[in-house]
Amino acid sequence: MSNNKFKVLIVEDEANICSFIETLLTTNDYQALVAHTCTMGLTLFASHNPDLVILDLGLPDRDGLELIRTVRQKYMTPIIVLSARTDEMDKIEALDLGANDYITKPFGTGELLARVRAALRLNRYGAPLGGAAPNGEFCAQGLRINYDRRKVFVEGEEVKLTQTEYNIVAFLSQHAGRVMTYAAIVKAIWGDTDIGSTKKLQVNMANIRKKLGSRPGSNSYILNELGVGYRMLDEDSGPRSEGLE
Ligand code: CA
């Protein structure tokens, strides 16, 4: 039933990337709409009310950031930004404007699909993820957080965290699968926007990562998105892949 499919608007001027994403989405049972300019993207957004936007920032007519700004005036539709590897400032600006996530070019199919599902709050089988867990727990990749008791377990073993460390882990888990900028985490934990707090965050995070350890033969539970922020792996995160597959 085509009207049950999630509608994804792709705003990207590079034809090969565009058709790569379009093919990937349609073969995975999404409906794809394509715009090659910012203006066309806004027009299609208004006429089709998509469930998700995948947005390139470098567009021929206007900056993709303008699309985020315009959409966010009225809509909470998830937006994933496509960005070149080195543009940390662009990523941060996009996230601060209200983009939900970014993905760095070049990217693999698995990575893109995982981000799409995370943005739509779907699990790997396409079923909706529960919001707040009914039993007050977060569980992913061997990491378990009991929110009621404020306790964290790795592979069943309790990990002793300080209050601040716990608050950071709990906050990231509530946004699992998505990158949180340093500024967003600092604001949530310390309630300020002081740039000096980023240092506090980094110190706490180093301790957290040490205490949580890594899954054997795999990456740690919290990924450091260099220059941007941190991302907690969700139940759906596979190993990170590099390059177009
Ligand atoms: Ca471009």
Side-chain angles (χ1 to χ4, degrees):
M1 294 295 287
S2 67
N3 55 354
N4 284 339
K5 290 182 180 179
F6 285 103
K7 251 185 283 180
V8 181
L9 171 60
I10 306 159
V11 188
E12 163 68 80
D13 59 319
E14 281 173 69
N16 60 334
I17 297 180
C18 225
S19 62
F20 169 74
I21 299 173
E22 187 182 11
T23 306
L24 181 63
L25 290 179
T26 48
T27 53
N28 282 276
D29 220 27
Y30 295 95
Q31 185 188 341
L33 303 158
V34 174
H36 299 291
T37 63
C38 187
T39 307
M40 191 180 167
L42 285 168
T43 305
L44 285 182
F45 186 93
S47 56
H48 287 78
N49 189 23
D51 301 294
L52 170 70
V53 180
I54 297 176
L55 173 70
D56 178 36
L57 293 181
L59 294 166
D61 57 338
R62 287 191 281 164
D63 195 312
L65 294 172
E66 278 196 43
L67 186 141
I68 303 175
R69 216 173 270 129
T70 307
V71 165
R72 278 291 170 271
Q73 286 169 5
K74 279 194 194 166
Y75 300 96
M76 291 307 294
T77 311
I79 299 174
I80 300 174
V81 162
L82 296 175
S83 160
R85 188 162 293 276
T86 51
D87 299 338
E88 266 77 33
M89 290 315 294
D90 278 358
K91 293 170 186 169
I92 291 171
E93 196 175 356
L95 292 167
D96 286 345
L97 277 174
N100 298 64
D101 205 348
Y102 67 83
I103 187 162
T104 303
K105 298 180 192 175
F107 48 83
T109 53
E111 189 180 2
L112 180 67
L113 289 172
R115 296 295 170 75
V116 165
R117 287 191 300 265
L120 291 169
R121 307 293 301 147
L122 301 173
N123 68 16
R124 76 184 73 194
Y125 308 108
L129 284 177
N135 54 357
E137 285 207 345
F138 171 87
C139 222
Q141 317 266 358
L143 177 70
R144 186 158 65 83
I145 304 170
N146 185 307
Y147 296 123
D148 296 333
R149 295 161 62 208
R150 295 174 61 85
K151 284 185 188 296
V152 174
F153 303 84
V154 168
E155 308 292 353
E157 293 275 329
E158 187 180 348
V159 179
K160 294 282 183 198
L161 298 179
T162 66
Q163 289 299 317
T164 302
E165 289 164 3
Y166 172 82
N167 290 340
I168 294 170
V169 170
F171 175 73
L172 289 175
S173 73
Q174 280 149 8
H175 304 274
R178 288 172 45 188
V179 64
M180 293 284 113
T181 62
Y182 303 125
I185 301 168
V186 163
K187 188 148 189 282
I189 303 303
W190 289 282
D192 62 28
T193 50
D194 180 6
I195 200 77
S197 297
T198 305
K199 190 78 202 155
K200 279 192 284 185
L201 173 62
Q202 282 164 346
V203 171
N204 276 284
M205 195 57 78
N207 291 329
I208 290 168
R209 287 156 65 91
K210 213 176 296 167
K211 288 181 182 179
L212 295 188
S214 296
R215 288 176 293 144
S218 188
N219 34 41
S220 50
Y221 299 103
I222 299 169
L223 299 177
N224 188 359
E225 301 277 349
L226 273 183
V228 179
Y230 296 98
R231 179 198 305 275
M232 181 171 284
L233 295 181
D234 60 15
E235 62 179 82
D236 191 34
S237 307
R240 295 185 10 116
S241 47
E242 297 294 330
L244 291 169
E245 287 167 2

